Amino acid sequence: MSKTPSVLPVMVASENGRAGMSAAMELLRQGGSALDAVELACRITEDDPEDHSVGYGGLPNAAGEVELDASIMDGRTLQTGAVAAVMGYGSPIMLARRVMEQLPHVLIVGRGAERFAAELGRQPADQRTEAALARWRERFVEHGLTPGVDGDLRGLARQLAVPVTLRDRGPVPAQEVKRDDTQGTVNFLARDQRGDLASAVSTSGVAWKYPGRVGDSPIIGAGNYADNRYGAAACTGRGELAIRVSTARSLILYLKMGMSLIDAGLEALRDLVFLQPTSGHYMNIVAMTPDGAVAGFASAPHGVYLHMHAEMDGPQLAERICLPEQE
Ligand code: GLY
């Protein structure tokens, strides 16, 4: 009787993925697929009202509306699905998975994605929480504007730079750095017992963004990529950067060219640094190779990520790798 090959399940995630990773690892231990694992992990994060970077309770756009983006990719087939700028429905990662499985398309946005959700029988649900709206109001007051007043939002959208840059923070132990949720997102990469890879990304996007703005998270190749043959990668941070240099796919291509995981990640960071990001704009990457090696990278110091394999008790934090100071 032939035996199904079994490899050790592994996951890697952005630092806000702890609860999702624990539940998804249980699924992987029971023989679940990498695709189901990353979807489950994302859904748990999306439903957490305390996480203001994703799903329900995500920080609103400049007009006070929550617009959600998500994508999922199957490393076995390179099939993928994504939704962007979805308003009034939760769990965008479920929609992304259904796009992949039920439509002859890859990316559905705005009204179309909302129609698709309704056709799937999903109930509309306001994704705004009082806490997230309070922060949006505070932001308007900071800029001397009146919340809720329709008008020209271009000025506000231009002033989105995060006030404290991670670089300015000095040597702080990684565990004590407060996460910047105004550019937050959640990433999950998984390898299952069959050795298949999958990746999922979900976000409410950059806080106070111009309505309709879409970042890297639902753009396959920018914020998300998985290919069983070479590896998987996903991004958090300022999506405009990853879109401009196709960060997730670039890292995988560097692996395909024969670079080690560390060298591939550093090369992807060099691509990002070449863009000379505005102070406070940063990009983080998590990556995994088919043999289960994982790493996290960041364009600014003090970033952390989570990793876990099936024989560990729970997710562990590790420091992200940056480019050497002299570069
Ligand atoms: N990385 C999430 C975004 O820029 O929307």
Side-chain angles (χ1 to χ4, degrees):
M1 198 168 77
S2 72
K3 197 164 166 256
T4 310
S6 181
V7 295
L8 189 69
V10 181
M11 288 191 76
V12 58
S14 48
E15 66 189 290
N16 52 336
R18 185 173 288 277
M21 182 181 275
S22 301
M25 184 53 79
E26 204 38 53
L27 193 143
L28 289 171
R29 284 191 185 110
Q30 290 165 15
S33 72
L35 205 56
D36 285 344
V38 293
E39 183 191 342
L40 172 67
C42 255
R43 255 180 20 225
I44 289 170
T45 320
E46 286 169 340
D47 290 346
D48 177 0
E50 302 299 324
D51 191 322
H52 294 297
S53 64
V54 52
Y56 178 63
L59 292 174
N61 65 18
E65 304 149 336
V66 174
E67 291 177 309
L68 303 178
D69 308 331
S71 67
I72 192 162
M73 187 157 185
D74 182 350
R76 193 172 58 87
T77 59
L78 305 195
Q79 284 186 311
T80 184
V83 291
V86 181
M87 274 202 278
Y89 287 90
S91 304
I93 197 67
M94 285 170 68
L95 294 178
R97 174 99 183 248
R98 301 300 171 271
V99 168
M100 179 174 95
E101 292 174 342
Q102 298 185 8
L103 292 178
H105 307 304
V106 163
L107 172 61
I108 303 292
V109 305
R111 273 185 309 151
E114 292 149 19
R115 178 192 177 109
F116 183 57
E119 288 179 0
L120 289 170
R122 304 276 304 284
Q123 294 304 312
D126 192 346
Q127 298 300 300
R128 297 173 298 182
T129 58
E130 257 321 305
L133 281 172
R135 285 181 61 184
W136 170 71
R137 284 187 207 102
E138 279 164 25
R139 188 70 179 189
F140 265 75
V141 171
E142 265 173 45
H143 287 281
L145 300 165
T146 311
V149 172
D150 277 346
D152 191 334
L153 295 171
R154 287 174 296 178
L156 188 69
R158 273 198 297 269
Q159 293 176 52
L160 292 175
V162 176
V164 181
T165 77
L166 297 184
R167 256 182 224 291
D168 292 342
R169 284 185 174 142
V172 182
Q175 283 78 353
E176 290 174 25
V177 174
K178 192 175 172 301
R179 203 168 75 84
D180 167 27
D181 59 4
T182 63
Q183 297 177 87
T185 295
V186 73
N187 295 160
F188 290 101
L189 310 179
R191 181 182 74 162
D192 63 28
Q193 290 184 6
R194 288 164 293 280
D196 290 329
L197 305 184
S199 54
V201 179
S202 188
T203 189
S204 47
V206 171
W208 343 122
K209 62 192 173 188
Y210 195 87
R213 175 267 186 193
V214 173
D216 60 319
S217 304
I219 307 297
I220 296 303
N224 188 0
Y225 205 78
D227 182 331
N228 269 10
R229 297 168 297 175
Y230 309 112
C235 302
T236 59
R238 194 75 185 188
E240 282 77 2
L241 299 172
I243 290 174
R244 288 167 68 194
V245 290
S246 307
T247 298
R249 169 79 165 137
S250 293
L251 193 153
I252 302 306
L253 276 179
Y254 296 138
L255 290 170
K256 180 177 179 177
M257 288 163 61
M259 287 187 186
S260 69
L261 176 58
I262 302 301
D263 285 346
L266 290 174
E267 198 54 32
L269 289 182
R270 284 186 195 99
D271 294 341
L272 291 160
V273 167
F274 183 75
L275 301 176
Q276 300 190 306
T278 310
S279 175
H281 291 185
Y282 62 87
M283 186 51 57
N284 297 323
I285 317 168
V286 287
M288 174 187 284
T289 52
D291 63 1
V294 299
F297 303 91
S299 66
H302 313 311
V304 290
Y305 69 100
L306 290 168
H307 65 98
M308 183 179 184
H309 62 65
E311 289 171 356
M312 287 166 61
D313 290 337
Q316 291 239 320
L317 273 180
E319 215 156 324
R320 292 179 187 267
I321 298 164
C322 293
L323 285 170
E325 280 284 317
Q326 60 272 22
E327 278 200 37

